[in-house]
Amino acid sequence: MLLGDLPGWLPAWCLNYLGCEPADVLLQQQQTSMVFGLRLADGRDVVVKTRPDDGRAVSCVAAQARLAERGFPCARPLTPAVGVGALAVHAEEYRPGGEVLHGDSPDVAVRYAEVFARLMAELTGVTVAPPLPNPRWVRWDHADCGVWPAIEFLDDQDQSAVSAYVIDTADRIRRRMLAAGLPCVLGHADFEAQNLRWHGRQVWAVHDWDSLAWQPEAALVGAASGAFASAAQPTLAPIDSSEAFLTAYQDVRGRVFTVEEQEVAWAASLWTAAHNARWEALHGDIPRSGDALRAQAAERLRRANA
């Protein structure tokens, strides 16, 4: 992307909130958010993130800032989230470098669990308004009709592509989690390999703070235990690796989950996979999550008492 291709409002926004206009474009990415890596006229490198303003961004950016202040490995926000038309926009440090830690073995799971436990421990001291609605891939607590949360760009597609097995699995997961009534906490809901970078055995950066959620701790840990190995197209980690993740998390936090928390964790480990299996079916993608769901759902549902 060239400077002339930036959104028309962005140079003035940088001047107003960062004191300089962009002089060069370092990167541009689009997933849930639109991300611009910019070199400012004074030589600073920054990242500006924009996303539709659904009311979540203010809390997510504030929480990220608190963790950065405490030395947690994440980019430090340089501005709060501010509204630009229908968008929420903020700037943060440019934190390049590091490598993705690939693999889905129990040993790799333990390394990810240790980081997740540290992250969740740090968030216990952060007080922000709950970042609701939760991200769509963990929005099992929705009040919409049917199994899935209302997501227009998915709901408008031909739902017959989604197998009855995926729908039934999602329904059983959701019923189990809603029956638990556990208290909600703040946590990271997109804890995938692609969102972390490492220097050797040390985590260098945790990204994607837009994906904070307000869910029971056990559910957030369970979701991470299933998703941690996703480095490209999402998939579901092996059962023994999820088990290693859950055990390591509890060891680091110094407490053992109750039976109900264990069951909720196993249920939550399947919900994101079910969401991703639906996505694959609707988009004609290779069914990585769908195949893993079929192979593992019965045992995970048994452990979830669902």
Side-chain angles (χ1 to χ4, degrees):
M1 176 177 282
L2 302 175
L3 274 174
D5 297 325
L6 291 173
W9 56 265
L10 186 51
W13 188 93
C14 290
L15 180 63
N16 188 33
Y17 287 95
L18 299 170
C20 284
E21 291 190 352
D24 196 6
V25 180
L26 305 176
L27 63 89
Q28 183 269 323
Q29 298 174 346
Q30 182 169 10
Q31 292 180 322
T32 304
S33 303
M34 179 74 81
V35 179
F36 303 95
L38 305 173
R39 178 158 292 153
L40 300 181
D42 62 3
R44 286 178 294 159
D45 293 341
V46 303
V47 170
V48 177
K49 294 186 175 182
T50 78
R51 77 290 275 167
D53 190 0
D54 58 4
R56 294 172 34 80
V58 170
S59 293
C60 291
V61 173
Q64 179 183 348
R66 305 279 179 81
L67 264 65
E69 289 169 0
R70 297 176 182 179
F72 188 84
C74 63
R76 179 175 61 89
L78 302 173
T79 72
V82 296
V84 178
L87 299 174
V89 182
H90 85 279
E92 61 186 41
E93 293 176 323
Y94 183 46
R95 193 177 176 94
E99 299 179 346
V100 175
L101 173 61
H102 293 277
D104 62 7
S105 69
D107 288 344
V108 171
V110 168
R111 292 180 63 183
Y112 277 102
E114 290 170 348
V115 177
F116 196 69
R118 178 183 170 193
L119 184 159
M120 293 294 288
E122 292 285 354
L123 285 176
T124 60
V126 174
T127 301
V128 295
L132 297 172
N134 284 310
R136 64 176 185 270
W137 52 90
V138 292
R139 202 181 301 166
W140 52 72
D141 58 345
H142 66 84
D144 303 317
C145 296
V147 174
W148 311 106
I151 304 167
E152 185 174 355
F153 72 92
L154 294 180
D155 297 341
D156 286 346
Q157 300 186 51
D158 180 6
Q159 301 302 306
S160 68
V162 184
S163 74
Y165 184 79
V166 170
I167 297 170
D168 178 66
T169 300
D171 185 53
R172 291 171 65 181
I173 297 163
R174 184 166 183 260
R175 290 176 185 274
R176 177 64 191 92
M177 290 192 290
L178 292 178
L182 297 173
C184 291
V185 300
L186 188 64
H188 199 296
D190 203 16
F191 195 75
E192 298 182 340
Q194 62 186 334
N195 289 328
L196 286 81
R197 296 294 183 272
W198 301 75
H199 286 160
R201 295 194 63 84
Q202 298 296 316
V203 65
W204 164 245
V206 178
H207 297 296
D208 196 17
W209 294 91
D210 287 359
S211 295
L212 289 180
W214 184 249
Q215 295 282 17
E217 179 187 10
L220 292 163
V221 179
S225 78
F228 74 86
S230 297
Q233 183 181 344
T235 189
L236 180 62
I239 289 174
D240 61 345
S241 296
S242 290
E243 184 172 28
F245 189 109
L246 294 173
T247 299
Y249 178 89
Q250 292 168 81
D251 288 345
V252 173
R253 292 303 305 272
R255 79 174 187 88
V256 177
F257 282 173
T258 66
V259 171
E260 185 167 53
E261 286 176 314
Q262 292 279 359
E263 292 175 356
V264 166
W266 283 108
S269 74
L270 269 179
W271 175 268
T272 302
H275 168 87
N276 292 334
R278 181 194 185 209
W279 177 285
E280 291 168 348
L282 293 176
H283 290 83
D285 295 340
I286 296 170
R288 294 193 66 197
S289 291
D291 289 349
L293 189 77
R294 286 188 175 276
Q296 299 185 33
E299 175 60 18
R300 288 180 184 265
L301 288 168
R302 185 191 68 79
R303 297 186 184 208
N305 193 25

